[in-house]
């Protein structure tokens, strides 16, 4: 069955594709942001970035050029700060100098609590490790939390939409690498492998005619007339 088509809205907040991007999907309560590390300060005061959510820090290793990602969660704190505050803390952390941009997921109705973001962080980490496109920099496996089956179904739907958004924002984090086709193995047969041999005597001349065919040439490889 063909996949249902989607309508994605990408809002270039700075008027350029290299700047901040807000992303929404039709019939979805989720909201995603793609924020360059150097543009975090411009996001101050945005209400939805003060909410709970899950974030991804993307970068490249200086030693190996491998794509790297750190996946985390951010809850609302007593000071009212959430996602953006956590990203700013990572920017100040010298241990995470590798990342150059962040992608964050939250909701338009501020519906994420501690249980939801713990489950999402766990699932996103598992999917990224399974796809094996990026080096996942999380030191510990996040716990999935304890959720009801109804909530699990709801969050899995959120994950399906988030995977579409992530691809649209240029990161194939959740798309597994396809296996390269294996090279065909050719077994060479011995040069003198004989497939066909014929021998007959000519009635007119009385000569004996012999003919043979090998597998490689598929043609007459010898002709011998015996008187």
């Amino acid at each position: 069955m063909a996949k249902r088509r989607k309508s994605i809205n990408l809002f270039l907040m700075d008027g350029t594709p290299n700047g901040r991007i807000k992303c929404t999907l039709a019939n979805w309560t989720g909201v995603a942001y793609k924020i360059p590390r150097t543009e975090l300060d411009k996001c101050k005061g945005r209400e939805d970035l003060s909410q709970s959510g899950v974030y991804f820090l993307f970068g490249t290793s200086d030693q190996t050029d491998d794509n790297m990602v750190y996946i985390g969660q951010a809850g609302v704190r007593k000071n009212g700060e959430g996602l953006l505050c956590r990203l700013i803390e990572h920017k100040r952390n010298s241990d995470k100098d590798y990342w150059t941009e962040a992608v964050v997921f939250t909701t338009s109705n501020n519906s994420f609590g501690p249980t939801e973001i713990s489950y999402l962080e766990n699932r996103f980490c598992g999917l990224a490790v399974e796809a094996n496109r990026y080096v996942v920099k999380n030191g510990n496996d996040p716990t999935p939390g304890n959720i009801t089956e109804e909530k699990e179904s709801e969050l899995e739907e959120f994950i399906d939409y988030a995977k579409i958004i992530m691809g649209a924002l240029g990161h194939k984090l959740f798309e597994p690498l396809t296996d390269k086709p294996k090279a065909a193995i050719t077994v060479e047969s011995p040069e003198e492998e004989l497939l066909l041999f014929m021998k007959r005597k000519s009635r007119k001349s009385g000569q004996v005619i012999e003919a043979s065919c090998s597998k490689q040439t598929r043609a007459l490889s010898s002709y011998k007339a015996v008187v």
Side-chain angles (χ1 to χ4, degrees):
M1 181 182 295
K3 293 184 177 180
R4 187 172 300 173
R5 291 174 288 183
K6 309 291 183 191
S7 177
I8 299 177
N9 181 42
L10 298 177
F11 176 61
L12 307 182
M13 300 169 64
D14 302 312
T16 169
N18 297 322
R20 296 171 298 158
I21 299 176
K22 180 181 179 181
C23 188
T24 55
L25 196 63
N27 301 318
W28 185 51
T29 59
V31 180
Y33 284 91
K34 181 178 180 180
I35 310 171
R37 179 173 178 156
T38 55
E39 307 297 329
L40 285 177
D41 289 339
K42 292 183 179 180
C43 295
K44 291 181 178 180
R46 298 197 67 89
E47 185 176 349
D48 48 4
L49 288 178
S50 296
Q51 300 176 165
S52 299
V54 180
Y55 61 88
F56 302 76
L57 306 180
F58 290 100
T60 305
S61 170
D62 293 333
Q63 290 75 33
T64 63
D65 287 333
D66 289 334
N67 292 322
M68 301 190 298
V69 63
Y70 176 84
I71 304 170
Q73 59 168 285
V76 178
R77 307 179 184 185
K78 293 181 179 180
N79 60 3
E81 297 296 334
L83 279 164
L84 182 59
C85 183
R86 189 74 179 110
L87 294 180
I88 292 174
E89 289 176 352
H90 282 305
K91 182 179 179 180
R92 296 169 180 167
N93 186 353
S94 59
D95 292 336
K96 290 186 172 62
D97 279 342
Y98 61 85
W99 71 279
T100 56
E101 70 178 28
V103 174
V104 305
F105 288 93
T106 184
T107 59
S108 59
N109 55 0
N110 194 19
S111 59
F112 281 159
T115 302
E116 286 81 4
I117 58 177
S118 291
Y119 180 85
L120 290 173
E121 181 190 17
N122 174 270
R123 287 286 287 122
F124 283 137
C125 279
L127 290 170
V129 171
E130 184 179 349
N132 198 30
R133 278 186 178 267
Y134 287 68
V135 177
V136 180
K137 297 291 288 182
N138 292 62
N140 300 313
D141 292 333
T143 58
N146 186 17
I147 62 173
T148 65
E149 59 183 355
E150 294 85 358
K151 180 58 68 174
E152 180 180 357
S153 177
E154 178 184 331
L155 292 175
E156 285 296 326
E157 184 177 7
F158 185 93
I159 291 170
D160 289 339
Y161 282 110
K163 289 162 69 175
I164 296 173
I165 295 293
M166 188 66 80
L169 292 176
H171 294 289
K172 297 182 179 180
L173 178 63
F174 303 123
E175 298 179 22
L177 290 170
T178 55
D179 294 332
K180 294 182 179 180
K182 296 181 179 179
I185 300 176
T186 303
V187 179
E188 296 183 359
S189 58
E191 292 183 2
E192 300 301 326
E193 182 180 357
L194 202 62
L195 296 182
L196 179 66
F197 177 79
M198 294 186 298
K199 180 179 179 180
R200 66 181 293 269
K201 183 177 181 181
S202 174
R203 294 182 179 179
K204 293 183 179 181
S205 64
Q207 293 181 332
V208 176
I209 302 173
E210 296 180 355
S212 62
C213 176
S214 69
K215 186 174 182 179
Q216 288 185 333
T217 60
R218 300 280 183 177
L220 291 179
S221 59
S222 64
Y223 178 89
K224 182 180 181 181
V226 179
V227 179

